[in-house]
Amino acid sequence: MSSATPSIEVINLNTHYGDRQVLRNVSLSVNPGEIFVIMGGSGSGKTTLLNHLLGLLRPTTGTIRILGKDINTLSALELQDLRTRMGVAFQSGALFSSMSVGDNIALPLREHSDLDETTIGIVTRLKLEVVSLAGFEDLMPAELSGGMIKRAAFARAIVMDPKLLFCDEPSAGLDPVVASSIDDLILRLRDAMGMSIVVVTHDLDSTFKIADRICVLDKGEVLALDSVDAIRNSPNERIQNLLNRRTEEAEVDPDAYLRRLLGEKEKHANQPTQGRTGL
Amino acid sequence: MNAFLNWLERLGRKAASGVAEFGFAATLFGQALYWLVLGRWRRQPVRMPSVAAQAMDIGIAALPIITVLSTTIGLMLAIQGIYTLKTFGAESRVTLGVALSIVREFSPLITGILVAGRSGSALAARLGTMRINQEIDSLTVMGINPVRFLVSPPLMAMMVLMPLLTLWADLVGLFAAGLYISIELQGSLAAYADEVVTILKLNDMLHGLAKAAIFGVLVTIVGVVNGASVSGGAEGVGRMTTRSVVHAISAIVITDMIFVFLVTR
Ligand SMILES: Nc1ncnc2c1ncn2[C@@H]1O[C@H](COP(=O)(O)OP(=O)(O)OP(=O)(O)O)[C@@H](O)[C@H]1O
Ligand SMILES: [Mg+2]
């Protein structure tokens, strides 16, 4: 792939759920080797945008090019090829509950490569090592904690050494040490392998640590799309509000802030568990 | 009048969603077959180990209960048959009725109903859970076709195993009926076996086995359609699992009738 073509290119994307428009005229591009963070308030359409980038939803109008290919006109076989070059870590992990952690991570290799079992075993353990889960390959997802599930999902997402990695809320629900190690991991993956990485997150600290560029979504529209510093120093009042509102609110009403933080944390910590009790 | 219009509208909606569901089922069946046949060409072959795993689950694990129930049904038919024919003093002809009923009707039916209860519901629950856990999205973004990975293996396993299980049910049922008949009518088991062999035509066997294969397809597709339609968390999974058993058994009984009507007349 030539480094001139953007890893992701979205042009005038408009999408609806039923009659309700969720994304309005979203255009953005992600350069190769870039860490691109999508931010925005709850309900602003981040997950919806991510699902479109993954080809799980079909846009009403607009074009999405992934690694130079328009995913809505691609043949099934080409799309399959494309998908082996991208990795996704879902927010809930979405590990296959009927398979051990090791089998989960090995699955893309078993399905898409001709590697023998020994090599697959080595690669699997290597990736588990990368996310500090060495020795957990024989456990079932139900036996892992929320944060471990998230890291296992991360290992599965990178097992094929993708060109493009998507992470939905990678650090939500993790303790600060692990969360920061995930940030380091994201930086390391980009530096070592030149991956382009798209991260959806609420975490401002993490965003400022890892992002090359930030896209701020607001009510389905791109409010701003710029480098970290430019966003920080943006004269745009709405962006400043968005960046500062949290801290302001915290100062005005620490109780509400605390409650919100706790509620938020609980929600995220529970999400994988909820998924699994859905069994 | 208004109530009647409302009722009519609801009926219309129900019918429309029924037709849509039927279309979904047909599409799924087509796709599952497509992957079985052409998966290799699409570089996504249906893996034999996962078919084998499904087959173990559907088949071997169901053998004990199928054995017990076919024995019971064989005995039941023999008892009823002798009782009925006694009125004409024709008990000696009981083998004819028993053998044909077991092979053509009871074995495939009881096997189908059992497999619907055991494996169809399990399939619905598994797919439903995977759906609400985003595991199906997860497969899709990995470039693994969910129909190929989740539907084709059980479909193939069912199509192969249902006839085999039915054949086993035939043998067990005929044997149990034979034991009762030979004791009750003071004949020998060998004479009974001879009689069965002359009575049963290949056609009768095939009639039962073909129905079994069709029931296998019905159970799989009904389970998958219900699992894939799950919404609303764990409760939704439970609801759809129940629904899948009810639908699968209804589909089996109705299809049986249609099949018999078309083939036998
Ligand atoms: N499956 C769906 N059907 C209908 N509407 C939906 C669906 N998913 C999301 N929406 C709506 O689309 C809008 C954007 O939702 P989305 O999940 O993309 O937000 P988000 O930015 O990811 O929010 P959060 O940070 O809370 O995850 C919301 O108004 C939501 O109600
Ligand atoms: Mg979201």
Side-chain angles (χ1 to χ4, degrees), chain A residues 170-190:
Chain A
S171 49
L174 300 182
D175 71 73
V177 179
V178 180
S180 131
S181 80
I182 291 266
D183 289 343
D184 291 335
L185 177 61
I186 290 175
L187 287 168
R188 205 145 27 93
L189 284 172
R190 190 269 307 270

Side-chain angles (χ1 to χ4, degrees), chain A residues 17 20 22 40-49 169 202 267:
Chain A
Y17 282 118
R20 200 152 49 94
V22 180
S42 200
S44 57
K46 303 182 295 294
T47 301
T48 308
L49 176 58
E169 305 273 357
H202 281 121
K267 179 176 144 224

